[in-house]
Amino acid sequence: MSKPAPLSGFPEFLPAQRVVEQHVVTTLAETFELHGFASVETRAVEPLDQLLRKGDTSKEVYLLRRLQAGFDGGPDDAAKGIGLHFDLTVPFARYVLEHAGKLEFPFRRYQIQKVWRGERPQEGRFREFLQADIDIVGRDELAFHHDIEVTRVMLDALGKLDFLPGFRLQVNNRKLIQGFYLGLGADDVDEVMRLVDKLDKLSPEQVTGLLVDEAGLTTEQAEQCLALATIRAADDSFVDRVRALGVEHPLLDEGLDELAQLLRGTVGLATDTVRIEADLSIARGLDYYTGTVFETRLDGYESLGSICSGGRYDALASDGRTTYPGVGISLGVSRVLVPLVQRGVVTADRSVPSAVLVALADEDSRPDADDVATALRARGIPCEVAPSAAKFGKQIRHADRRGIPYVWFSTTDADGVTHEVKDIRTGNQVPADPATWEPPVEDLRPTIITTKE
Amino acid sequence: MSKPAPLSGFPEFLPAQRVVEQHVVTTLAETFELHGFASVETRAVEPLDQLLRKGDTSKEVYLLRRLQAGFDGGPDDAAKGIGLHFDLTVPFARYVLEHAGKLEFPFRRYQIQKVWRGERPQEGRFREFLQADIDIVGRDELAFHHDIEVTRVMLDALGKLDFLPGFRLQVNNRKLIQGFYLGLGADDVDEVMRLVDKLDKLSPEQVTGLLVDEAGLTTEQAEQCLALATIRAADDSFVDRVRALGVEHPLLDEGLDELAQLLRGTVGLATDTVRIEADLSIARGLDYYTGTVFETRLDGYESLGSICSGGRYDALASDGRTTYPGVGISLGVSRVLVPLVQRGVVTADRSVPSAVLVALADEDSRPDADDVATALRARGIPCEVAPSAAKFGKQIRHADRRGIPYVWFSTTDADGVTHEVKDIRTGNQVPADPATWEPPVEDLRPTIITTKE
């Protein structure tokens, strides 16, 4: 086998890079659990009819087929049609329906898993990538304060990833924009929303033209729509600016009230780098949200698109008798991490967990070295024993190449065994007892190193 | 959508069961890291030619195909052929070759990921399942003491899963059995090994017959092979018993020496429930091991087969110029866990991470309740605020149904706010300060509950 080439769209990390990913996943999981979210993992596959339920084939589903079809005369999954999940929302909705009788509602869950899409790979777009989703789902009803809750939880989580560049969490509300368009007298509200959503690709003049030509608005109505979409605010001051446009509708009132509540409930979490703002241009395109919608832009990485998106569904799932409304946000872990890691913005200071390399004077002393390592591990100190009794200089280089900060030396003479530990970064070598020595706590685990661009 | 049916062979856990899986994965990862093993994750897919490289199609590979083939005129992965990995060894061998220039050898890695096989589902056999692998791989050479090391690490890890029934880690050595067969004068050593491996399905008499008929052995030679296969020992006493059979060969000497070293290096880790023994019947069938081989049987769950297997490869990977020998063990996490969880042998005492439910006197006090929750979370106490200001009895039942042990009450009167916390298991209610109160450490996280059968 010659050297294999990477598969485009399937990123993989080297060990030191993987340390960063582990740090991110652990930080997210710990934060979500602090907020009472239970961990759920769903199988990687779903029936094809579920994956294509909304008629949206833009997700580029990967179909599965067994190489040996017809296997053993048994039923063949290929015939029934299964594919890899392309997000964590469709599987979660299915999980809720399948297990509803055994879940307690409102049900808070987080889910950190790989998803697959057969898209053309490009920056921030992969064929296999890691997502971290939080959702709260109710049975029959779900109070609006949960919209505020998921926002707070995700802001808390993102704020703990201190290597991240600054970011803006942008919120809007479908009721607000749909109520506004209804109040204006638009006939096809969804079409207006779809056209206004093109503002990130087209000029305001072009969108105005489309609104007139394709949605049948007057120029004045179209300009009102654009005026609404330009409103941004870091607090609830957007309400007065919308009111000043003179449009009225009960749904608009409801949307304004919800969005104002959301801003007031989260504004206290804003910092220099973690910003939250009402952005009345956000609509989340074709997704089936019915109230709050979220997008997130990373400072300096705007070309990645939204790294963290979501919103409120009136019916995340339904079995015909019972409807399960939900609200959630999904963080594109790979979308954020792969570019940062590849540009060297973030890495770890060692490629192995070991804080200590236990050096070997000769191969016969390996059992004694194992005893030293066992004593260190009993106190939670990751370590490894040198692979061979090479010259000490070579063993120190072995540690250095891996970023292991300490090398342990045991020497035996007439007076018994002497233990010493060397900090190879400083050269400082001191006597040490395997039963009591501990490194400074910051040396216990690999450290995440950031060079923010 | 009506209630979805489960997909056979794709097990999923309810939240309390998932707590057990998380506990297992965390315990394994922490133990592997204490021993200096670096975490690696590989993509879920490999080129089909790699998956089928050894001509072994028994793994029932799942092929991937994009639903929209010919997408955008770009290259189509379906044409090149990719499939889901069926183990973590093939992807790791590819990872080592692809990244060899950036890895430090000997390279210790652990990998805990799902794998997929289109097999007929049955107890302990799934189409999607979680594996936990450890391997040590060298460049050009890898000293034998690493065989002892991986054994010690996996014993350490399994020993920490205290809900596990007892188990036996069985070890053998291919050099020992191949050397024995060569010393006997067998012509086709692999064929003899393949036939002796049938002892778990056929009677000794049947295997003797096959050895005579298909491998061309004399009856006496065949009986010697069976005599070897009956030898079991918990220490290096097996050496004398093999010697007593009177067969001699240099490869046999090498195998005996390695296996004796392995037993001597691990016997100290044995306990009442964690047993290690030389079992000279173990061969690992068609897998391409060249020295040490491992299997593991769980007491009372022998029908699951081996839950933890592995061994030494002289060439885990090779690019033609450089060969990478390796030794490793793979734990079938799902194979062990799914039956134990489904039989209720192990579960968790709550279905949510929350240790505290912050009760609500009325909806207006939600911001104050959020402040209490934030103060608790700042000290690492997972908690959630009640979803609605229902009667306190209902809020307590809300906590009880989830297994949340504490409910927090804040009441405001003329003298200010009074905080109290109730342990709903005992009914004990005491004054508490959100800034300082802490639950007993054993209540901080869900507890794993075992009822060993």
Side-chain angles (χ1 to χ4, degrees):
Chain A
M1 182 181 181
S2 55
K3 187 180 166 182
L7 269 185
S8 176
F10 293 89
E12 280 183 343
F13 288 135
L14 289 167
Q17 301 171 332
R18 167 68 183 150
V19 171
V20 180
E21 189 179 46
Q22 285 183 285
H23 167 77
V24 169
V25 168
T26 303
T27 302
L28 294 173
E30 283 177 358
T31 308
F32 299 153
E33 294 193 358
L34 277 176
H35 288 267
F37 285 67
S39 173
V40 161
E41 282 207 351
T42 58
R43 62 191 189 219
V45 308
E46 296 294 332
L48 209 54
D49 57 352
Q50 286 305 306
L51 293 172
L52 305 176
R53 190 155 58 102
K54 288 178 176 163
D56 175 8
T57 57
S58 65
K59 300 296 193 292
E60 290 285 342
V61 172
Y62 276 115
L63 235 76
L64 258 59
R65 188 169 68 79
R66 295 210 341 273
L67 192 61
Q68 282 82 29
F71 167 75
D72 213 48
D76 183 17
D77 283 338
K80 287 186 287 185
I82 56 174
L84 294 175
H85 58 215
F86 56 77
D87 71 6
L88 302 177
T89 305
V90 170
F92 177 57
R94 189 265 312 155
Y95 181 93
V96 166
L97 285 184
E98 184 175 329
H99 303 291
K102 293 172 177 166
L103 301 176
E104 297 291 338
F105 295 94
F107 177 50
R108 285 171 181 78
R109 84 87 175 77
Y110 73 92
Q111 188 168 353
I112 305 178
Q113 279 184 261
K114 301 272 174 65
V115 306
W116 294 269
R117 296 184 186 183
E119 294 187 296
R120 177 203 285 275
Q122 50 182 300
E123 190 186 31
R125 300 266 175 183
F126 308 105
R127 296 188 151 189
E128 172 179 81
F129 52 101
L130 188 65
Q131 291 208 171
D133 281 31
I134 54 172
D135 285 275
I136 304 175
V137 60
R139 183 155 50 197
D140 297 322
E141 55 180 12
L142 184 71
F144 178 75
H145 62 75
H146 292 296
D147 292 45
I148 303 172
E149 183 178 3
V150 296
T151 319
R152 291 169 63 105
V153 174
M154 192 55 90
L155 282 171
D156 192 9
L158 289 173
K160 287 180 185 170
L161 301 177
D162 48 15
F163 63 84
L164 276 191
F167 63 88
R168 257 179 316 140
L169 180 65
Q170 304 162 304
V171 275
N172 198 3
N173 192 296
R174 282 271 179 103
K175 294 177 188 169
L176 190 163
I177 49 181
Q178 289 176 333
F180 187 89
Y181 302 153
L182 287 170
L184 267 180
D187 294 322
D188 187 344
V189 164
D190 286 348
E191 178 69 0
V192 176
M193 196 166 65
R194 193 181 66 78
L195 294 172
V196 173
D197 203 37
K198 292 182 184 289
L199 273 174
D200 57 349
K201 297 195 184 84
L202 302 179
S203 73
E205 293 69 28
Q206 289 171 307
V207 173
T208 306
L210 287 174
L211 287 169
V212 172
D213 296 344
E214 299 188 11
L217 299 192
T218 67
T219 304
E220 195 190 4
Q221 287 171 322
E223 283 170 354
Q224 288 274 67
C225 293
L226 263 68
L228 184 77
T230 59
I231 294 175
R232 284 170 182 67
D235 54 32
D236 61 7
S237 64
F238 68 90
V239 177
D240 289 342
R241 294 170 59 192
V242 176
R243 294 287 183 212
L245 295 175
V247 177
E248 292 194 2
H249 194 274
L251 194 61
L252 171 61
D253 295 344
E254 208 179 312
L256 283 169
D257 178 55
E258 287 190 357
L259 190 57
Q261 280 190 57
L262 190 69
L263 266 286
R264 286 195 296 267
T266 54
V267 72
L269 302 175
T271 65
D272 283 354
T273 52
V274 175
R275 284 155 290 143
I276 173 153
E277 63 176 33
D279 181 330
L280 274 49
S281 72
I282 301 293
R284 295 297 305 149
L286 291 171
D287 286 319
Y288 288 46
Y289 297 110
T290 52
T292 303
V293 285
F294 305 103
E295 292 196 354
T296 311
R297 311 280 153 180
L298 204 57
D299 297 348
Y301 293 82
E302 287 78 7
S303 63
L304 295 179
S306 175
I307 58 154
C308 184
S309 313
R312 156 75 72 147
Y313 291 91
D314 278 346
L316 176 76
S318 173
D319 62 9
R321 289 174 301 125
T322 311
T323 294
Y324 299 88
V327 60
I329 315 189
S330 172
L331 171 64
V333 178
S334 300
R335 181 175 288 191
V336 176
L337 211 49
V338 172
L340 290 176
V341 163
Q342 283 176 346
R343 293 185 196 184
V345 177
V346 58
T347 187
D349 66 347
R350 54 193 207 238
S351 63
V352 293
S354 308
V356 182
L357 175 78
V358 182
L360 270 186
D362 49 54
E363 194 56 40
D364 288 345
S365 63
R366 183 172 295 280
D368 298 328
D370 281 336
D371 289 344
V372 170
T374 301
L376 296 176
R377 287 180 193 127
R379 292 197 313 291
I381 304 166
C383 59
E384 59 191 79
V385 175
S388 72
K391 286 182 181 161
F392 281 151
K394 194 175 169 194
Q395 295 190 48
I396 290 171
R397 280 197 300 281
H398 177 98
D400 189 43
R401 277 198 304 273
R402 288 160 176 76
I404 301 173
Y406 297 94
V407 178
W408 190 282
F409 299 98
S410 306
T411 46
T412 307
D413 60 20
D415 299 331
V417 183
T418 309
H419 296 286
E420 292 192 292
V421 65
K422 179 197 277 281
D423 182 335
I424 65 171
R425 298 162 300 188
T426 63
N428 189 30
Q429 185 164 336
V430 296
D433 180 344
T436 57
W437 178 82
E438 292 194 6
V441 67
E442 64 270 21
D443 287 338
L444 211 49
R445 306 278 159 198
T447 301
I448 306 301
I449 304 171
T450 317
T451 52
K452 284 193 185 178
E453 277 180 331
Chain B
M1 181 182 181
S2 54
K3 186 181 167 183
L7 269 186
S8 175
F10 292 88
E12 280 184 342
F13 289 133
L14 289 167
Q17 301 171 332
R18 167 69 182 149
V19 171
V20 180
E21 189 179 48
Q22 285 184 288
H23 167 76
V24 169
V25 168
T26 303
T27 302
L28 294 173
E30 282 178 358
T31 307
F32 299 153
E33 294 193 357
L34 277 176
H35 288 268
F37 285 66
S39 173
V40 161
E41 283 207 350
T42 58
R43 63 193 187 217
V45 307
E46 296 294 331
L48 210 52
D49 56 353
Q50 286 305 307
L51 293 171
L52 305 176
R53 190 154 58 103
K54 289 179 177 162
D56 175 9
T57 58
S58 65
K59 300 295 194 294
E60 290 285 344
V61 172
Y62 275 116
L63 236 74
L64 257 61
R65 188 169 67 80
R66 294 211 340 273
L67 192 61
Q68 282 80 30
F71 167 76
D72 215 48
D76 183 17
D77 284 336
K80 285 185 287 183
I82 57 175
L84 294 175
H85 58 215
F86 56 78
D87 71 6
L88 302 176
T89 305
V90 170
F92 177 57
R94 189 266 313 155
Y95 181 94
V96 166
L97 284 183
E98 184 175 329
H99 303 291
K102 292 171 177 167
L103 301 175
E104 297 291 337
F105 295 94
F107 177 50
R108 283 172 183 76
R109 84 89 175 75
Y110 74 92
Q111 188 167 352
I112 304 178
Q113 279 184 261
K114 301 270 174 65
V115 306
W116 294 269
R117 295 182 187 184
E119 295 187 297
R120 177 203 286 275
Q122 50 184 301
E123 190 186 30
R125 300 266 175 183
F126 308 104
R127 294 188 154 190
E128 172 178 80
F129 52 101
L130 189 65
Q131 291 207 172
D133 282 29
I134 54 171
D135 286 275
I136 305 175
V137 61
R139 184 154 51 197
D140 298 321
E141 56 181 11
L142 184 71
F144 178 76
H145 61 76
H146 292 296
D147 292 44
I148 303 173
E149 183 178 1
V150 296
T151 319
R152 291 169 63 105
V153 175
M154 192 54 90
L155 283 171
D156 192 9
L158 290 173
K160 287 180 184 170
L161 301 177
D162 47 17
F163 62 84
L164 275 191
F167 63 88
R168 257 179 316 141
L169 180 65
Q170 304 162 304
V171 274
N172 196 2
N173 192 296
R174 282 272 178 102
K175 292 177 189 171
L176 189 164
I177 48 180
Q178 291 177 331
F180 187 89
Y181 303 152
L182 287 170
L184 269 179
D187 293 324
D188 188 343
V189 164
D190 286 348
E191 178 69 0
V192 175
M193 194 165 67
R194 192 181 67 78
L195 295 172
V196 173
D197 203 37
K198 290 181 184 291
L199 273 174
D200 57 348
K201 297 194 184 85
L202 302 180
S203 71
E205 292 70 28
Q206 288 172 310
V207 173
T208 306
L210 287 173
L211 286 170
V212 172
D213 294 345
E214 297 187 12
L217 298 193
T218 66
T219 304
E220 193 191 6
Q221 286 172 324
E223 283 169 351
Q224 287 275 65
C225 292
L226 261 70
L228 183 77
T230 60
I231 294 175
R232 284 169 182 66
D235 54 31
D236 61 6
S237 64
F238 68 90
V239 177
D240 289 341
R241 294 170 59 192
V242 175
R243 292 292 183 208
L245 296 175
V247 176
E248 292 194 1
H249 193 276
L251 195 60
L252 171 62
D253 296 344
E254 210 179 311
L256 283 170
D257 178 55
E258 287 190 357
L259 189 58
Q261 278 191 58
L262 189 68
L263 267 285
R264 287 194 295 268
T266 54
V267 72
L269 301 176
T271 66
D272 284 353
T273 53
V274 175
R275 284 154 291 143
I276 174 155
E277 62 177 30
D279 181 331
L280 273 48
S281 73
I282 301 293
R284 296 298 303 148
L286 291 170
D287 285 322
Y288 288 47
Y289 298 111
T290 52
T292 303
V293 285
F294 305 102
E295 292 196 353
T296 310
R297 311 280 153 180
L298 204 57
D299 298 347
Y301 293 82
E302 286 77 7
S303 63
L304 294 178
S306 176
I307 59 154
C308 185
S309 313
R312 156 75 73 145
Y313 292 90
D314 278 347
L316 176 77
S318 173
D319 61 9
R321 287 175 303 124
T322 310
T323 295
Y324 300 88
V327 61
I329 316 191
S330 172
L331 171 65
V333 178
S334 301
R335 180 174 288 191
V336 175
L337 211 50
V338 172
L340 291 177
V341 163
Q342 283 175 346
R343 295 186 195 182
V345 177
V346 59
T347 186
D349 66 348
R350 52 193 207 241
S351 63
V352 292
S354 307
V356 182
L357 176 77
V358 182
L360 271 187
D362 50 54
E363 194 56 39
D364 287 346
S365 63
R366 183 171 297 280
D368 298 329
D370 281 337
D371 288 345
V372 170
T374 300
L376 295 177
R377 289 180 192 125
R379 291 197 313 292
I381 303 167
C383 58
E384 57 191 79
V385 175
S388 73
K391 286 182 180 160
F392 280 152
K394 195 174 169 195
Q395 296 189 49
I396 290 171
R397 282 197 300 282
H398 178 98
D400 189 42
R401 277 198 304 274
R402 288 160 176 76
I404 301 174
Y406 297 95
V407 178
W408 190 281
F409 299 98
S410 306
T411 46
T412 307
D413 61 19
D415 298 331
V417 184
T418 309
H419 296 285
E420 291 191 294
V421 66
K422 178 197 278 281
D423 182 335
I424 65 171
R425 297 162 300 187
T426 62
N428 190 29
Q429 184 164 337
V430 295
D433 181 343
T436 57
W437 178 82
E438 293 195 3
V441 67
E442 63 271 21
D443 287 337
L444 211 48
R445 306 279 161 198
T447 301
I448 306 302
I449 303 171
T450 316
T451 53
K452 283 192 187 182
E453 279 182 331

